[in-house]
Amino acid sequence: MTTHLVWFRRDLRLHDNLALAAACRDRSARVLALYIATPEQWAAHDMSARQAAFISVQLNALHAALAEKGIPLLFHEVADFAASVETVNRVCAQHDVSRLFYNYQYEINERQRDARVEKQLPDVVCEGFDDSVILPPGAVMTGNHEMYKVFTPFKNAWLKRIKDGIPECVSAPMVRDSGALTAPLTPLTLNYPQQDFDAALFPAQEKRAIAQLRQFCQQSASDYEQQRDYPAIEGTSRLSASLATGGLSPRQCLNRLLVEQPKALEGGAGSVWLNELIWREFYRHLMTWYPALCRYQPFIRWTDRVQWQNNAAHLQAWQTGNTGYPIVDAAMRQLNATGWMHNRLRMITASFLVKDLLIDWRKGEQYFMSQLIDGDLAANNGGWQWAASTGTDAAPYFRIFNPTTQGEKFDRDGEFIRRWVPELHEVPGKAIHDPWTWAEKVQVTLDYPRPIVDHKQARLATLAAYEAARKG
């Protein structure tokens, strides 16, 4: 009997899992599953404690779901990716594995790990799959066979390609002929710091994640364009954690969206949320084409000459939500308390760190990864480089968000701010965006910091720093 091994990584699900489906296609084969925890590697990549807890729930749910299909899950823990290569080799030898199946990861360390595995297993057929994207990297290229550097042309080419044939989802595997596993399962424990997360907002179990996707596409995707920028409204999908860890596939998202919102591909209802899926594709494709993005290098090379101030006290004030700018502080406190931040606020807080405090964007990227339940290198790096004007398709360096007017525009009456900055609950209406002016007018002392920088002066200093770097 031939033995197939499915190596699970960031794809802890049964449904629409390309590697798992391929491994199970031969009904006569014995199918084993493997998961290797690498806590030292996770720490080096700044994986958050909440994401570790989220993955732990997913892993144990997968363990039980695979058992029902008659597929044992082998669990190993090693320090890092280098050690995981040896573990895969050993497992393949112990179980006489003839075929190894896995879904590609596009980060450079992961790609190097997989290349070493294939090199060290000459007698095992290794099959990889482009599972975490809708279209594989390289499928959407310019006429010169280069990667697009600007999102809109990429999106147009992506849409044209997808209309030729929408990738279908593959079914969960059937129960193996040997039947379900009946022995009691031992809980799998990750030796990594973990922090509680809100399971109602971020369901880790596969069935609940699928239900959340269905509900969003049915009830909210059509209103996404009108509601997505207002953090006081639950107008986003909150599916990012499941997508980041592979609890859902992007094909599931696309197909469900088109079932519920069939005009999305033509720019109708649901098209703005579809745009978010395409941004996700764009950043993943970019990472495979420009692996330097995985090494904290800017896409626009001259921006590496910007002279950052890197004021430690300012960085700490930003991290803890004590900058004196209410919308920035509310957003950072939401991140610290929940492991998630509204997308509009990610742009505002990133712009503030880089363009108001003139702190290296990489410090912000690293801090976000250390906190986010939906931490994903491609998306996080892409967002930070966009905000810092260092990346492909980035905001021009002279475009600098005014944090006060951003708050006035997207949290007009301060509903979101009051939720996260209770020190300001007595400040009325729109005055909350400039609370110290109101406090001085009515002669009230606030238990809230004054702005740590003057935005107008900070803006001029940032423009000068970028201009000096550009001229070299």
Side-chain angles (χ1 to χ4, degrees):
M1 178 185 290
T2 59
T3 300
H4 292 176
L5 180 65
V6 187
W7 182 10
F8 284 89
R9 289 96 77 96
R10 287 204 161 216
D11 50 1
L12 303 178
R13 65 182 188 278
L14 290 188
H15 293 82
D16 196 39
N17 187 317
L18 300 185
L20 177 62
C24 294
R25 210 158 278 143
D26 181 353
R27 296 291 300 168
S28 66
R30 179 174 66 141
V31 178
L32 303 175
L34 171 66
Y35 184 82
I36 306 173
T38 53
E40 288 184 20
Q41 194 82 44
W42 294 342
H45 291 171
D46 302 303
M47 188 171 84
S48 77
R50 281 195 179 88
Q51 187 167 94
F54 190 77
I55 289 172
S56 179
V57 176
Q58 288 180 317
L59 180 63
N60 279 282
L62 177 70
H63 190 197
L66 287 170
E68 291 176 2
K69 301 294 185 181
I71 302 172
L73 175 62
L74 311 175
F75 175 77
H76 293 269
E77 181 178 294
V78 298
D80 53 23
F81 287 161
S84 72
V85 173
E86 301 308 317
T87 300
V88 173
N89 291 349
R90 189 168 61 253
V91 169
C92 287
Q94 287 174 347
H95 297 277
D96 195 22
V97 171
S98 56
R99 299 171 80 95
L100 173 66
F101 299 81
Y102 53 83
N103 294 315
Y104 291 128
Q105 293 180 282
Y106 302 117
E107 298 86 350
I108 191 165
N109 293 147
E110 286 81 343
R111 289 163 68 186
Q112 290 173 342
R113 172 203 60 199
D114 291 352
R116 287 198 296 270
V117 165
E118 291 197 20
K119 187 176 181 180
Q120 293 186 27
L121 290 174
D123 298 325
V124 176
V125 177
C126 298
E127 296 188 48
F129 300 85
D130 290 293
D131 178 79
S132 70
V133 285
I134 298 169
L135 294 178
V140 181
M141 306 289 279
T142 69
N144 294 327
H145 301 288
E146 295 179 349
M147 175 62 200
Y148 284 97
K149 299 182 176 116
V150 178
F151 174 70
T152 300
F154 174 87
K155 180 185 83 168
N156 293 336
W158 190 96
L159 286 169
K160 183 178 180 181
R161 176 74 186 268
I162 209 73
K163 288 174 184 176
D164 292 337
I166 296 168
E168 296 181 355
C169 296
V170 297
S171 301
M174 298 174 64
V175 179
R176 308 304 292 171
D177 291 343
S178 56
L181 305 179
T182 56
L185 297 178
T186 302
L188 306 178
T189 304
L190 302 181
N191 183 26
Y192 193 85
Q194 295 183 38
Q195 191 172 0
D196 289 342
F197 62 92
D198 189 334
L201 295 177
F202 307 105
Q205 290 88 352
E206 185 174 2
K207 288 181 180 178
R208 291 187 57 209
I210 291 171
Q212 183 185 34
L213 168 63
R214 183 179 295 114
Q215 183 179 29
F216 173 78
C217 291
Q218 287 174 348
Q219 301 177 10
S220 305
S222 58
D223 299 324
Y224 179 75
E225 181 176 9
Q226 291 75 35
Q227 297 186 346
R228 66 179 180 141
D229 279 322
Y230 301 96
I233 300 172
E234 283 293 335
T236 64
S237 71
R238 289 196 186 263
L239 293 167
S240 53
S242 290
L243 279 167
T245 60
L248 286 173
S249 82
R251 291 175 302 283
Q252 288 174 295
C253 295
L254 175 63
N255 280 277
R256 176 49 57 183
L257 177 67
L258 295 179
V259 166
E260 307 296 345
Q261 310 293 341
K263 300 293 185 183
L265 285 177
E266 283 73 44
S271 62
V272 176
W273 190 64
L274 173 61
N275 253 18
E276 298 302 313
L277 294 177
I278 303 173
W279 269 108
R280 182 179 180 276
E281 297 269 298
F282 181 55
Y283 286 141
R284 285 181 172 249
H285 287 214
L286 272 173
M287 196 190 316
T288 63
W289 201 253
Y290 301 104
L293 297 176
C294 299
R295 299 177 187 250
Y296 300 108
Q297 295 179 22
F299 188 84
I300 301 173
R301 298 303 304 168
W302 65 260
T303 62
D304 229 5
R305 297 194 294 268
V306 173
Q307 295 297 304
W308 305 109
Q309 291 186 4
N310 290 334
N311 182 307
H314 283 179
L315 177 61
Q316 184 179 28
W318 177 82
Q319 289 173 338
T320 58
N322 287 291
T323 68
Y325 285 90
I327 193 67
V328 173
D329 293 341
M332 294 304 296
R333 294 183 193 188
Q334 180 189 41
L335 172 65
N336 293 333
T338 70
W340 184 84
M341 188 193 290
H342 188 279
N343 189 56
R344 167 58 59 176
L345 301 181
R346 297 187 197 207
M347 292 190 280
I348 294 171
T349 55
S351 176
F352 185 82
L353 182 75
V354 178
K355 302 287 181 68
D356 281 78
L357 302 183
L358 203 58
I359 289 176
D360 192 333
W361 57 272
R362 284 162 281 222
K363 293 184 182 295
E365 179 188 6
Q366 184 178 26
Y367 187 73
F368 267 30
M369 282 299 285
S370 75
Q371 298 297 315
L372 286 170
I373 191 171
D374 62 358
D376 174 89
L377 176 59
N380 191 47
N381 178 273
W384 272 96
Q385 293 222 41
W386 181 91
S389 306
T390 63
T392 177
D393 204 47
Y397 72 91
F398 48 79
R399 183 183 298 159
I400 299 176
F401 284 177
N402 181 318
T404 303
T405 56
Q406 287 285 308
E408 291 170 346
K409 185 174 182 180
F410 297 112
D411 191 31
R412 182 178 173 183
D413 296 316
E415 181 183 349
F416 178 80
I417 291 171
R418 286 186 185 85
R419 191 181 306 165
W420 292 103
V421 189
E423 306 97 296
L424 300 178
H425 75 278
E426 292 182 1
V427 182
K430 300 173 187 177
I432 200 167
H433 301 290
D434 186 12
W436 278 105
T437 298
W438 169 85
E440 290 167 0
K441 188 175 181 180
V442 300
Q443 296 184 324
V444 170
T445 300
L446 295 174
D447 181 24
Y448 181 68
R450 290 182 180 272
I452 59 175
V453 291
D454 177 272
H455 172 69
K456 289 182 180 179
Q457 294 177 3
R459 180 179 180 278
L460 293 175
T462 295
L463 288 174
Y466 272 76
E467 287 165 8
R470 187 166 62 93
K471 293 173 183 177

